[in-house]
Amino acid sequence: MISADDFYKVMCAMVPLYFAMLVAYGSVKWCKIFSPEQCSGINRFVAVFAVPVLSFHFISQNNPYEMDTKFIVADTLSKLLVLVLLSVWAILFKGGLDWLITLFSLATLPNTLVMGIPLLNAMYGDFTQSLMVQLVVLQCIIWYTLLLFLFEYRAATLLIKNQFPGSTAASISKFEIDGDVISLDGRDPVRTESEIDGNGRIRVRIRRSTSSAPDSALSSSMGITPRASNLSGAEIFSVNTPAPLHEYHNGNADIAFGNGDLGFGYRSASPRLSGYASSDAYSLQPTPRASNFNELDTTTITTTNTPFWVRSPVAGKVYRQQSPAFSGVRMVWESPGKCNGGGGERQGCKDVVGEREISFRDSSKFPVAEEEDPKATATGQDMPRTHVMLRLILTMVGRKLSRNPNTYSSVLGLLWSLISFKWNVGMPSLVKYSIKIISDAGLGMAMFSLGLFMALQPRIIACGTKRATMGMGIRFICGPILMSAASIAVGLRGVRLHAAIVQASLPQGIVPFVFAREYGLHPDILSTGVIFGMLVSLPVTLLYYILLGL
């Protein structure tokens, strides 16, 4: 039975965290103390320093040689059970990969680091801190990597379907990715250049469109001076809503682009505007400021009878007109530099391909539908061989993880704990207290950052009542039920079983929302799960705590 002292102890642990979140919310929403630009700086500190250092602090102090095997197996089994059930549902009932990823994130990935450690410590004692840290390690190293793999697989599939329709993709033998392509999430424009060898096999090179040839006809004809983007290491909070994705209209070959001073899909030409939405909390993408450098990468050739671009009298319209002499032209190869001539190599050449050849080049952001229609996409679309796709996705996942400070903090913390507890080596005092001074502020700053994020959103429930109800049901009901079933199946009993169930009822984790926002997959549902889930989680976890204590 839960006593009044136990309840008060839990409230003493939770109220300070919610107080930090409330202060941040009020300082932006009501008092207007912080501007969006200042919120961006605060969240940058939280994502790059506070949360990674906090994660390193907890992981490095946890003894990996005394891990609770049953607790870890129960947590792993519950996540695998969810993944299997969703996979069966997606295959048999045409649920689709999109919803599989979203529902898996909602059901299995709670905010264990920020909310779980203090809450479970107050409810069930100090031993739960070690349990929560073990789950944090698994989340950072295994489950977030798996989630990122699914997102990149989806992005690669959309890219291939967009640029290699039908059976063409089956002939792809290799993908070559430029070093500045960090992800296929579609936030940065990408282009592909392809070569076909004598055996009909296709080699595809993926590049950022902003790294293409600077002598684009559109830029030169409009008198635009290219200005290189400044790519900083991480963008945590954004200030401005990004311009909408390019709209494509097949009829009459007209292409309508997003808003901006030029009406061609560029953001406003005024300098130094962020291109990220305010929902990019904890995002670790490179931060391109507004740039007019070849974002709309058009194709030209140097002869007179070529397709060319002209500006419509209607603002924001660009028309691609075919030359009468070359009405059958479908695709133009383009690379920077000069053509090298013979030898079968086409570095820097611009070749015109006939009407029946397939276009392998797309310099714009590929359109990403919010919800993929499985019936429409499953017919007549082949994919490259498994090892080709696997290499592409693993390359993208590795580059994405290499830009995430939490990856380094988790791995370094685990390595230090393995060394420290194996040979009884203590951390030097200078390093220990340097880390401690930042980690002590980590929890409060993480909750403060969440408050800023909530205040900058136009609505707390961004996805509508129906989807919000579905998300909350999956997060706070289905997740704990599956966790309890897995825990009982592996023989978990007593306080550890209670801790496992309460941990599964924590609010939605931040990282799945960041991925959803970056890849454009149901970010409104995950945003509602983070914001509204934080408000609902306190009474829900207390209810579980009371019921389990009866």
Side-chain angles (χ1 to χ4, degrees):
M1 186 70 180
I2 305 300
S3 64
D5 290 339
D6 295 331
F7 184 81
Y8 181 74
K9 184 179 179 181
V10 172
M11 295 303 294
C12 287
M14 298 308 298
V15 168
L17 295 178
Y18 279 88
F19 177 76
M21 185 176 69
L22 180 62
V23 168
Y25 182 86
S27 64
V28 174
K29 199 74 171 181
W30 304 320
C31 302
K32 311 296 182 183
I33 295 175
F34 298 109
S35 66
E37 291 84 358
Q38 292 168 332
C39 293
S40 175
I42 294 172
N43 284 278
R44 182 183 294 272
F45 168 76
V46 171
V48 178
F49 292 104
V51 171
V53 172
L54 178 67
S55 177
F56 175 84
H57 173 72
F58 281 126
I59 295 174
S60 63
Q61 291 185 344
N62 182 65
N63 190 346
Y65 302 103
E66 297 180 358
M67 299 181 74
D68 193 320
T69 306
K70 284 188 176 181
F71 194 87
I72 293 175
V73 171
D75 179 76
T76 303
L77 182 61
S78 67
K79 290 178 170 58
L80 292 177
L81 180 61
V82 171
L83 191 60
V84 169
L85 292 176
L86 290 175
S87 299
V88 172
W89 169 74
I91 294 172
L92 298 182
F93 299 97
K94 306 298 182 182
L97 179 63
D98 290 9
W99 281 107
L100 183 150
I101 296 173
T102 300
L103 297 179
F104 178 77
S105 302
L106 286 171
T108 62
L109 299 174
N111 194 347
T112 306
L113 177 64
V114 177
M115 292 289 294
I117 292 177
L119 178 62
L120 272 296
N121 192 8
M123 286 182 174
Y124 298 112
D126 295 338
F127 79 97
T128 58
Q129 176 173 319
S130 176
L131 299 179
M132 295 301 103
V133 170
Q134 294 168 25
L135 297 187
V136 168
V137 173
L138 293 179
Q139 275 189 354
C140 293
I141 297 179
I142 297 178
W143 300 116
Y144 288 158
T145 303
L146 173 62
L147 186 64
L148 186 58
F149 183 92
L150 294 175
F151 273 112
E152 285 293 340
Y153 173 76
R154 172 182 175 270
T157 302
L158 290 174
L159 178 65
I160 291 171
K161 288 179 180 179
N162 180 60
Q163 301 188 37
F164 303 91
S167 60
T168 309
S171 301
I172 298 176
S173 61
K174 185 178 181 181
F175 285 98
E176 297 177 356
I177 308 103
D178 279 10
D180 58 353
V181 177
I182 306 302
S183 174
L184 301 178
D185 56 19
R187 299 189 68 169
D188 292 326
V190 295
R191 56 179 288 190
T192 60
E193 295 177 351
S194 306
E195 295 178 349
I196 306 177
D197 60 17
N199 298 322
R201 293 175 297 187
I202 303 173
R203 296 178 60 185
V204 181
R205 182 182 180 185
I206 300 177
R207 308 176 62 188
R208 289 183 59 183
S209 67
T210 52
S211 65
S212 59
D215 56 346
S216 171
L218 182 62
S219 298
S220 59
S221 64
M222 296 172 58
I224 298 175
T225 303
R227 182 177 71 249
S229 299
N230 62 321
L231 299 178
S232 61
E235 175 71 10
I236 314 308
F237 231 143
S238 10
V239 181
N240 301 297
T241 302
L245 292 177
H246 308 323
E247 300 175 4
Y248 297 88
H249 304 282
N250 295 327
N252 300 324
D254 66 303
I255 304 180
F257 294 94
N259 297 327
D261 291 348
L262 299 173
F264 288 96
Y266 303 110
R267 297 180 179 90
S268 173
S270 48
R272 306 301 183 249
L273 293 180
S274 170
Y276 289 76
S278 59
S279 57
D280 290 339
Y282 297 97
S283 174
L284 296 169
Q285 286 281 37
T287 314
R289 293 175 180 164
S291 171
N292 58 10
F293 180 59
N294 220 11
E295 183 170 343
L296 175 60
D297 184 24
T298 60
T299 61
T300 62
I301 54 180
T302 56
T303 60
T304 57
N305 297 318
T306 66
F308 60 96
W309 297 86
V310 295
R311 183 167 183 174
S312 167
V314 181
K317 294 277 186 175
V318 177
Y319 290 93
R320 186 179 188 272
Q321 296 185 352
Q322 291 284 356
S323 169
F326 281 81
S327 59
V329 172
R330 287 294 186 188
M331 189 267 293
V332 176
W333 297 105
E334 182 184 22
S335 294
K338 298 181 179 179
C339 184
N340 293 335
E345 299 180 0
R346 42 161 310 280
Q347 297 178 356
C349 296
K350 298 179 180 179
D351 310 320
V352 181
V353 182
E355 176 177 339
R356 296 190 178 181
E357 293 294 335
I358 302 208
S359 173
F360 299 139
R361 184 180 183 284
D362 189 351
S363 60
S364 63
K365 294 182 180 180
F366 54 91
V368 180
E370 181 180 353
E371 295 185 23
E372 183 180 352
D373 185 2
K375 295 181 180 179
T377 58
T379 58
Q381 176 63 50
D382 293 336
M383 298 300 290
R385 286 190 284 265
T386 303
H387 72 277
V388 177
M389 285 290 292
L390 187 62
R391 181 183 178 187
L392 170 64
I393 296 169
L394 290 178
T395 301
M396 293 293 96
V397 170
R399 292 183 182 183
K400 193 88 169 181
L401 291 176
S402 68
R403 296 297 184 95
N404 193 336
N406 286 298
T407 302
Y408 297 100
S409 66
S410 301
V411 172
L412 290 176
L414 182 60
L415 290 176
W416 175 255
S417 64
L418 289 171
I419 295 172
S420 176
F421 289 96
K422 178 69 174 179
W423 290 287
N424 196 23
V425 178
M427 186 176 295
S429 297
L430 287 175
V431 178
K432 178 180 178 180
Y433 290 111
S434 297
I435 293 174
K436 186 176 184 299
I437 197 172
I438 297 179
S439 65
D440 286 346
L443 283 177
M445 288 301 299
M447 295 300 293
F448 193 87
S449 176
L450 282 174
L452 297 178
F453 168 63
M454 293 173 59
L456 291 176
Q457 302 309 303
R459 292 185 301 170
I460 292 179
I461 301 178
C463 61
T465 305
K466 183 178 179 180
R467 287 188 172 185
T469 303
M470 176 199 72
M472 295 302 102
I474 293 173
R475 173 69 266 156
F476 296 113
I477 298 177
C478 296
I481 289 176
L482 291 172
M483 184 65 185
S484 61
S487 301
I488 293 173
V490 300
L492 211 59
R493 298 291 186 272
V495 178
R496 291 187 299 166
L497 174 61
H498 297 171
I501 296 173
V502 173
Q503 179 270 337
S505 65
L506 293 173
Q508 179 63 44
I510 301 295
V511 174
F513 161 70
V514 173
F515 288 161
R517 179 64 182 86
E518 291 176 351
Y519 290 87
L521 179 59
H522 303 138
D524 52 346
I525 297 178
L526 273 299
S527 173
T528 303
V530 173
I531 298 175
F532 191 61
M534 287 295 300
L535 304 177
V536 175
S537 66
L538 181 58
V540 169
T541 51
L542 288 175
L543 179 62
Y544 275 112
Y545 179 56
I546 293 172
L547 293 177
L548 292 171
L550 294 178

